[in-house]
Amino acid sequence: MWGELGARLDLERGVIAGAPVVRRGLSDLRGCFADAAAYDAALALGDPPLYTVSSVEAGGGGGDLHYGLGVLYPGRIGDEYFMTKGHLHSRREAAEVYIGLRGEGCMLLEDEMTGECRIEPLGAGRVVYVPGHAAHRTINTGDVALVYIGVYPADAGHDYGAIAERNFRMAVVEREGRAVMVARDERNIQQ
Ligand code: S6P
Ligand code: ZN
């Protein structure tokens, strides 16, 4: 017997109706932003919410899919835009599809095998394919919440450890009103 197959996107509240919600605030992203002084200064003023993800994780079999609705708020720490923690999938070959619903931003992708880094625009009307072995992080470069859906294999798993240890090589920062990708090391030297 099939269980529930449909769900309602409650875009007013930014959740999938009835699905569990994970909330991440600034304090959850210690070590992610390149400008540590700007991070500490912002945190001293409070712990703003950065994003929420509500997920439907029904079947757990090899062929099953899970999906989540992400809402990433606008803002910056120093010149670096608000972003998600970022992760690799525990089963490295597991790919993912992101579908942008609202707002403006991008995905930062980094191939664990080759080191290739790329930003792919993500926002209303954009779809991004995240290949296997690609660390992925979502970034809001606009003025309103970036809302998207990610669909991934049920057995993908989430590995946050590798990124927490070494972070992404690139950062997405605002330069003269535009979002650009710069080397994180370079970004640190410019402090
Ligand atoms: C799951 C998918 C997304 C992220 C979400 C939050 O595979 O990639 O639903 O979980 O964008 O990012 P993170 O890095 O905190 O899980
Ligand atoms: Zn993922």
Side-chain angles (χ1 to χ4, degrees):
M1 265 303 255
W2 284 326
E4 195 61 62
L5 297 179
R8 186 171 63 85
L9 299 182
D10 183 345
L11 294 179
E12 290 310 310
R13 293 176 53 233
V15 295
I16 299 170
V21 183
V22 172
R23 295 170 201 282
R24 303 266 185 231
L26 188 58
S27 62
D28 296 309
L29 271 78
R30 180 165 292 284
C32 293
F33 292 96
D35 188 339
Y39 176 84
D40 288 340
L43 203 54
L45 298 175
D47 188 7
L50 294 197
Y51 61 96
T52 62
V53 186
S54 61
S55 306
V56 175
E57 301 188 330
D64 284 313
L65 296 172
H66 288 172
Y67 60 95
L69 177 74
V71 177
L72 173 58
Y73 301 113
R76 288 200 314 258
I77 297 298
D79 58 9
E80 193 172 7
Y81 295 100
F82 279 8
M83 59 197 181
T84 58
K85 278 183 158 186
H87 60 268
L88 283 149
H89 292 147
S90 309
R91 188 165 71 78
R92 291 293 198 263
E93 56 272 39
E96 181 162 1
V97 171
Y98 273 68
I99 302 156
L101 300 180
R102 275 188 188 170
E104 193 185 333
C106 62
M107 297 201 66
L108 178 60
L109 305 175
E110 182 176 315
D111 190 318
E112 190 184 37
M113 316 273 274
T114 64
E116 179 179 352
C117 299
R118 191 184 291 194
I119 44 177
E120 277 295 330
L122 175 71
R126 293 279 313 176
V127 176
V128 178
Y129 182 79
V130 178
H133 298 274
H136 44 289
R137 165 175 278 169
T138 313
I139 297 162
N140 186 339
T141 59
D143 298 327
V144 298
L146 174 63
V147 183
Y148 58 91
I149 290 178
V151 185
Y152 48 97
D155 61 357
H158 294 89
D159 176 4
Y160 292 96
I163 292 303
E165 215 168 274
R166 57 171 167 75
N167 212 337
F168 285 73
R169 293 182 194 186
M170 309 300 280
V172 178
V173 299
E174 191 263 352
R175 291 281 153 81
E176 293 166 0
R178 292 188 54 232
V180 295
M181 182 171 77
V182 297
R184 182 166 296 279
D185 293 348
E186 231 172 76
R187 170 71 189 63
N188 285 331
I189 291 161
Q190 283 173 7
Q191 289 302 300

